[in-house]
Amino acid sequence: MAAWFGQSNSTSVAVMILLVWISLLGCALAQRQKQPSLQILPASSVQRKPVGHSLLLTCRPDVPDTNLISDLRWNDNRNMTILPKPMNYYYPLYDSKGRRLPPKAGQSSPMIYTESIAGGTALALIFNSLQESMAGTYFCAASYSVTEKLNAAVVVETYVAITWKDAPTDQRPLMGTDYIVRCEVTANPPATVDWLRNGDQIKSSGRYVIENRGLLIKNITEADDGVYTCRAAVMSTGELKNREIRVEVQIMPEVQRLPRVMDAVEGQSFSVMCNATGKPVPEFQWIKKGTQQNAADLDRFSVNSITGQLDISQVEQQDHDSYACIARNPAGQSESVTKLNVLIRPKIIEFINITVSENEEAVFLCKAFGRPAPEITFRRYGTVEEYSIGLQVSDDRIILEQSTDDEKGETVGTLRISKLTTTDDGLYECIARNRGDVAFKVGHITVEYRPIFDHMKALPPVYTWEERPANLSCFAQAIPNATIEWRWNDRRVQDLYDTNMRVENHGLRSDLIITPRDRRYFTAYKCVANNRLGSAEHLMELREARIPEMVPQAKPRIVSATSITFDVMAPPVEPGLPLTAFSVQWKEQFQSDWNFAYNRTWSPDSPYIVEGLRPQTAYSFRFAARNVVGLSQWGAYVDQSTPRRSEPETPRILHTPIQEEEEDNDPIVTSPYADHFDMRWNIPVDNGEPIDMYRIKYCPGTKVNGIWTEMEEHCIEQDIVRMTNYEMRNLQADTYYRIELMAHNAIGFSKAAHVLMKTARGIDVVLRVDSPTLSSAAVIGIVIGSVVLLLLIADLLCCAFGNLGILATLCRKTKRSPSDLDDEAKLGSLYGWRFPLPYCSGSLIKERPPSPLPLPPPIVKLGATTPLEDEKQPLNTQPPAASPLKVNSSVEYDGRVVHSRSGEIIGKNSAV
C-alpha cells in the first residue's frame, strides 16, 4: 500500500507540472495572437557588411492570420518606398537542380530592389552590391486587418574591406636602381601595413624604407630577388590579409662587342654568333643597316632568336653591308654593329700553254680575278715549294713578276724562264689566293729541242745467230718529232736495195730488220734523227751470239752421304747475253760412258745441290753453262766420294739471334709471347738414312758468374715426327730457356743445336692467334700456287691481246715444224732477254709484239738447230735397263726454297 501510494504521488506531481506548462504555453499563444508584428531576418537590429558585398533582408509578418496582411513594403534610408524588380529584369537565379545561373547578356539587376518570397507571405530586400551611400535605417511596414499598422526597422552599416589597390604579385625592378615594391591598400577604417621577407619582419632602416605606396629598396641588386609579404590589418574589424609579391631583379642586356669587319666568301655559307648577358635571358634580332630590314625576313638568312646565331646559306655580293645584333629583354636592349665584307673567291681566267725552243726565254702568263685582288704564285706541278716574287735563289734563270689592279680585282702573274733547257719542259701550276680561297690551274711549257739518244746509250748490243732475223729499233727523243733514217757504212740503207735489210717505220720508232746471210752483217749501224732544230746520230751494234765458254771451276762445299753442294764458277759472259742455267752430269767412277749419266739443271741464282747419291760411292761430275744460244762444252770435272751412312747433320734453328754470346756460348733469341714460343728449324742432311724424328729439350735456368745453371726438375723433352716446328707452351714470363734440338735417323742422333730463348714480360707484345698456324711447306705451297695463278692470268692476257704466251704457242702448234718447236723450247725467245716483259714471250716471225719504249724488241727467227760440234758424247733420254732407278731431274731456286722435279736430261735432245 505504501509503495503504491508513493508511486501514485510522484505521478500526480508530473501531471501537475505538465498541466502548468500547457497552460503557460496557451497563455503565450493567446498573448501573441493578441499582438501582431513584423519580423526582419536576420534578427540582428544592426547589419554590418563590407562595401561591394550583397545583402538579403527578409520582412516576415508574425500574425495569427497572414491573409489579413496588406500593403507589405520596404522603405529606404530616406523613407522612400523601395520598388520591386521590374518584370523585364527578372530571371531565375537558380535552375531546377539548385545550380546558380549566369546573368543574361546585356541585362543587369538594380542595385536595390524588393522581391516577394515564401508564396507572397514575406518580402525580401536585396542589395546587389553595397555602397557606402546605402548605409542607414531601413523600415518594413504593413497593414493588418486594414486598421492596424505594423512596423519594423533594421540598421545597415557598411565598411570598406582591405583591398589591394596597386600590389602586383610579380614585380621586376632593374638592377642598380631605387625601386618601390608596390603595395597600396584601401580600407575603411584604414589598415596598417607591414612587410616580411622569408618570415622575418622588415623594418625601415638602411636600404629599406616602408612607404604608403610600398617598400622602397635602394640600389637594388640581384641578391634582393625573392618573395616579399605585404601584410595589411584593420584592428577595429580584426581583418588581416597577406599579399605575396615575387620580386625578380632584371639586368639590362649587354651585347659582347662583335668584330669590326667580318669576311664571308661568296657562294659559301656563313655563320656568326652574337652573345649577350642579361636577366631574363634576352632575345636576339639582326638588322641589315643599309635597308633596315629584319634579317630573319630575308631570303637565305636565318636567325636563332634564342642563341643569337645568324646563318647565311649562300653568301651573295649584295649581302655586303653592316649588320646590327640587338639583344632585348624587359629591362631594355643593347646592340653591336659589324660590317660583313663579302669576298669573291679567286678565279683563274687565263693560263695558256706555251711552246718555246731550247735556250730561248719562256714567258708564262696567269691572270686571275677576285676580291680582294688575289696574289699569284707558280710552282712546278707535283712539288710543294712555290716560286717567290722576284729572282729565285735556287735558280737565277727564273723570275716571278706580279701586277695588281685593286679596283678591278685582277692580278697578272708572269713567270719568266731564260735559257730554257729540256728539264724545264713539263706542267706548272698557277696558284691564285686571297682571304676567300685558293684557286689552281695547270699549264704546260713545251720545250722544243733537237733529237737526242741519251736513253739508248746504256743499251747492250743486239745478238742473233744462224741467220735469224734481228731487229734494231731506234727511237729518238725530240720536240718536234724527229724523222729517222738508217746508214750502213755511211750509206743510206734505203739506197742499198739489200733484201737482207728492211726498214719499217712505226710512228716515232724505226726498226731495221737484218737477216745476216754472212758475217759482214755483224757490224755497227747508224741511226740518224733530224728535226728543224738539229740532228743526232746513234750507233747500234749487231753481234753474233755464241754458246758460253766452258765452266772453269766447280768445288764441293758440303758433302754428305746422299748429297753434295757445289760452288760453281761462271764463265765470262758478253753484255746483253746472260747465262740462263747451269747443268751437271754425274756418274759412278767405274762407268766410262757419260751417255748413262744423271743430269740436273739449276737456275743461276740457286744453290747447286746434287741429291739422291749413294753413300760410300765414288762419283764423277762435269758442268756446263747455258745461254739462249745453247749449252757450252762440258768442263770443270770433279771426282768426289760420298761418306758412309751416318747420323743426320745438325739442324739449323731458323730464328735470328738478338745477341751472339761469347765463343762456346749459345746465341740468344726472344719470344714475342710471355707463355709460349714457336720453335722452327730446317731439314738437315740425312746422311743416307731418312730422318724419322726430332728430339727437343728445353729447360728454364739462369747464368751465375757466366755459368748456365738449369732447373732440371722443370726440363721438358719431346720427340717430334715429320715436323719442322714445335710450339713450347705453359712457359714462364721473363724467363730464359735453354733449347736443345737433335735430328734422328736409323743410325742415331745428330749433334745438338743449342739456343737460349727469353720470354716476354708477362703481356704478349704481339697479338696472339690461337688458330692453327701453317707449316713452312703449306706456306711454300700457297706461294707457289699464287705464282702459278698469276702466271696463268698473265698468259691469258698475253694470248688475248698479243697472241703470245704458252696458250698462244699451243694454238700455233699445228703451224710449226717440229724443229721450230724444239728450238723454241730450248732457247726461248730472244725478245724475252733483249727487252724483258712480264712473262709474255713468243715467236717473232709472223707477228712482232709491241716494243716498250725506248726500244722495240729484236726480231728472231726460230728454226731448226744443228747439234753442237764440240759436244762429243751424245746423251740418252732414257736410262738403261740395267739402271731402272735412275731418274733425271732439274732444280730451280726461288730465293728461299730449292724445287727439284723429274724431267729430261741435258744433251742434244733435251732443253734447259
Side-chain angles (χ1 to χ4, degrees), residues 461-488:
V462 177
Y463 292 88
T464 188
W465 66 98
E466 296 177 354
E467 299 184 10
R468 299 168 184 258
N471 182 6
L472 279 67
S473 295
C474 182
F475 174 74
Q477 293 178 326
I479 299 177
N481 295 332
T483 59
I484 296 176
E485 66 176 22
W486 289 91
R487 294 181 180 273
W488 185 38

Side-chain angles (χ1 to χ4, degrees), residues 12-33:
S12 300
V13 173
V15 170
M16 289 178 66
I17 293 172
L18 177 63
L19 291 175
V20 171
W21 184 81
I22 292 173
S23 63
L24 290 175
L25 181 61
C27 292
L29 291 175
Q31 187 177 2
R32 284 182 67 94
Q33 289 178 354

Side-chain angles (χ1 to χ4, degrees), residues 198-254:
N198 299 327
D200 298 329
Q201 191 172 19
I202 299 175
K203 298 181 179 179
S204 290
S205 63
R207 296 175 55 242
Y208 298 101
V209 178
I210 298 177
E211 299 182 352
N212 292 333
R213 294 178 299 165
L215 176 65
L216 172 64
I217 304 176
K218 298 179 181 180
N219 191 22
I220 197 166
T221 66
E222 197 171 359
D224 295 318
D225 277 355
V227 177
Y228 293 77
T229 301
C230 175
R231 187 170 62 181
V234 179
M235 296 181 182
S236 60
T237 61
E239 186 177 11
L240 178 67
K241 280 190 177 182
N242 292 333
R243 182 77 160 181
E244 288 190 349
I245 299 174
R246 180 176 298 277
V247 175
E248 182 180 357
V249 178
Q250 294 183 339
I251 303 173
M252 186 174 177
E254 183 177 354

Side-chain angles (χ1 to χ4, degrees), residues 183 223 284 297 568 682 758 835:
C183 184
F284 294 89
D297 299 332
V568 180
N682 71 338
K758 184 181 180 182
F835 289 97

Side-chain angles (χ1 to χ4, degrees), residues 674-852:
D675 61 346
H676 68 284
F677 176 63
D678 188 15
M679 178 77 172
R680 294 176 287 110
W681 60 89
N682 71 338
I683 300 175
V685 177
D686 59 15
N687 285 331
E689 288 293 337
I691 296 174
D692 54 8
M693 72 170 187
Y694 297 91
R695 176 166 293 173
I696 186 169
K697 179 181 178 182
Y698 53 97
C699 303
T702 185
K703 276 191 175 182
V704 179
N705 297 325
I707 300 175
W708 174 260
T709 303
E710 295 181 354
M711 303 172 65
E712 291 290 343
E713 66 275 12
H714 296 288
C715 290
I716 297 176
E717 188 173 272
Q718 183 71 40
D719 290 339
I720 304 160
V721 180
R722 292 189 300 276
M723 291 180 63
T724 57
N725 70 297
Y726 174 73
E727 186 173 13
M728 302 159 52
R729 291 187 172 271
N730 301 321
L731 305 180
Q732 298 296 321
D734 197 21
T735 303
Y736 282 96
Y737 287 82
R738 188 172 188 269
I739 305 172
E740 181 180 278
L741 177 67
M742 296 183 294
H744 181 270
N745 62 10
I747 298 175
F749 282 99
S750 69
K751 293 182 179 179
H754 298 90
V755 70
L756 281 177
M757 184 273 297
K758 184 181 180 182
T759 54
R761 293 184 180 177
I763 300 176
D764 292 348
V765 298
V766 297
L767 183 63
R768 179 175 176 178
V769 179
D770 293 329
S771 59
T773 56
L774 296 176
S775 64
S776 301
V779 173
I780 293 171
I782 292 173
V783 172
I784 294 174
S786 302
V787 172
V788 171
L789 180 60
L790 291 175
L791 292 178
L792 180 58
I793 294 173
D795 188 71
L796 289 173
L797 295 175
C798 291
C799 180
F801 295 103
N803 199 18
L804 302 174
I806 297 175
L807 293 178
T809 302
L810 294 177
C811 293
R812 294 195 297 268
K813 183 176 182 182
T814 57
K815 299 182 181 180
R816 299 185 182 183
S817 65
S819 61
D820 285 339
L821 295 176
D822 183 63
D823 227 354
E824 184 172 337
K826 288 193 297 179
L827 303 178
S829 170
L830 182 61
Y831 169 70
W833 58 264
R834 179 64 177 82
F835 289 97
L837 285 175
Y839 175 71
C840 295
S841 63
S843 173
L844 301 178
I845 298 174
K846 298 173 182 175
E847 47 185 327
R848 181 172 62 257
S851 170

Side-chain angles (χ1 to χ4, degrees), residues 485-776:
E485 66 176 22
W486 289 91
R487 294 181 180 273
W488 185 38
N489 297 327
D490 288 331
R491 298 179 63 186
R492 295 178 72 246
V493 170
Q494 290 88 339
D495 298 338
L496 297 176
Y497 302 103
D498 188 336
T499 58
N500 295 322
M501 291 188 291
R502 185 175 78 255
V503 177
E504 292 184 0
N505 292 314
H506 304 277
L508 305 179
R509 188 187 78 192
S510 180
D511 297 337
L512 176 60
I513 302 171
I514 302 172
T515 305
R517 300 298 182 187
D518 53 56
R519 299 190 61 82
R520 64 191 177 93
Y521 291 99
F522 293 104
T523 184
Y525 297 83
K526 184 182 294 184
C527 172
V528 181
N530 293 278
N531 69 2
R532 62 182 177 82
L533 298 178
S535 63
E537 298 177 350
H538 179 67
L539 290 177
M540 299 187 69
E541 188 176 358
L542 178 63
R543 293 183 182 179
E544 184 178 9
R546 305 177 187 277
I547 62 173
E549 297 180 11
M550 288 193 304
V551 175
Q553 187 180 19
K555 292 181 179 180
R557 180 163 54 89
I558 301 174
V559 180
S560 71
T562 57
S563 66
I564 300 176
T565 301
F566 288 92
D567 289 332
V568 180
M569 181 181 296
V573 296
E574 296 187 66
L577 195 61
L579 298 177
T580 58
F582 285 97
S583 298
V584 64
Q585 283 187 334
W586 73 93
K587 63 180 181 62
E588 295 182 8
Q589 286 185 2
F590 68 85
Q591 291 182 349
S592 59
D593 192 351
W594 284 95
N595 287 325
F596 302 104
Y598 294 94
N599 295 266
R600 178 158 292 182
T601 301
W602 303 288
S603 58
D605 55 350
S606 65
Y608 307 129
I609 304 174
V610 178
E611 297 175 310
L613 304 179
R614 294 190 299 179
Q616 293 181 301
T617 304
Y619 288 95
S620 294
F621 300 87
R622 63 178 184 176
F623 298 85
R626 178 180 288 277
N627 63 12
V628 294
V629 181
L631 191 70
S632 71
Q633 296 181 10
W634 295 102
Y637 288 85
V638 176
D639 292 331
Q640 179 67 46
S641 298
T642 56
R644 65 176 179 81
R645 288 182 176 85
S646 64
E647 65 275 0
E649 296 294 323
T650 304
R652 185 168 64 89
I653 296 174
L654 301 178
H655 292 278
T656 303
I658 61 169
Q659 176 182 347
E660 292 287 352
E661 293 289 315
E662 296 83 4
E663 191 175 353
D664 298 331
N665 287 333
D666 300 328
I668 298 177
V669 300
T670 60
S671 171
Y673 307 101
D675 61 346
H676 68 284
F677 176 63
D678 188 15
M679 178 77 172
R680 294 176 287 110
W681 60 89
N682 71 338
I683 300 175
V685 177
D686 59 15
N687 285 331
E689 288 293 337
I691 296 174
D692 54 8
M693 72 170 187
Y694 297 91
R695 176 166 293 173
I696 186 169
K697 179 181 178 182
Y698 53 97
C699 303
T702 185
K703 276 191 175 182
V704 179
N705 297 325
I707 300 175
W708 174 260
T709 303
E710 295 181 354
M711 303 172 65
E712 291 290 343
E713 66 275 12
H714 296 288
C715 290
I716 297 176
E717 188 173 272
Q718 183 71 40
D719 290 339
I720 304 160
V721 180
R722 292 189 300 276
M723 291 180 63
T724 57
N725 70 297
Y726 174 73
E727 186 173 13
M728 302 159 52
R729 291 187 172 271
N730 301 321
L731 305 180
Q732 298 296 321
D734 197 21
T735 303
Y736 282 96
Y737 287 82
R738 188 172 188 269
I739 305 172
E740 181 180 278
L741 177 67
M742 296 183 294
H744 181 270
N745 62 10
I747 298 175
F749 282 99
S750 69
K751 293 182 179 179
H754 298 90
V755 70
L756 281 177
M757 184 273 297
K758 184 181 180 182
T759 54
R761 293 184 180 177
I763 300 176
D764 292 348
V765 298
V766 297
L767 183 63
R768 179 175 176 178
V769 179
D770 293 329
S771 59
T773 56
L774 296 176
S775 64
S776 301

Side-chain angles (χ1 to χ4, degrees), residues 377-388:
T377 60
F378 291 81
R379 68 181 172 198
R380 193 73 183 261
Y381 187 74
T383 63
V384 177
E385 185 177 356
E386 299 178 11
Y387 297 127
S388 57

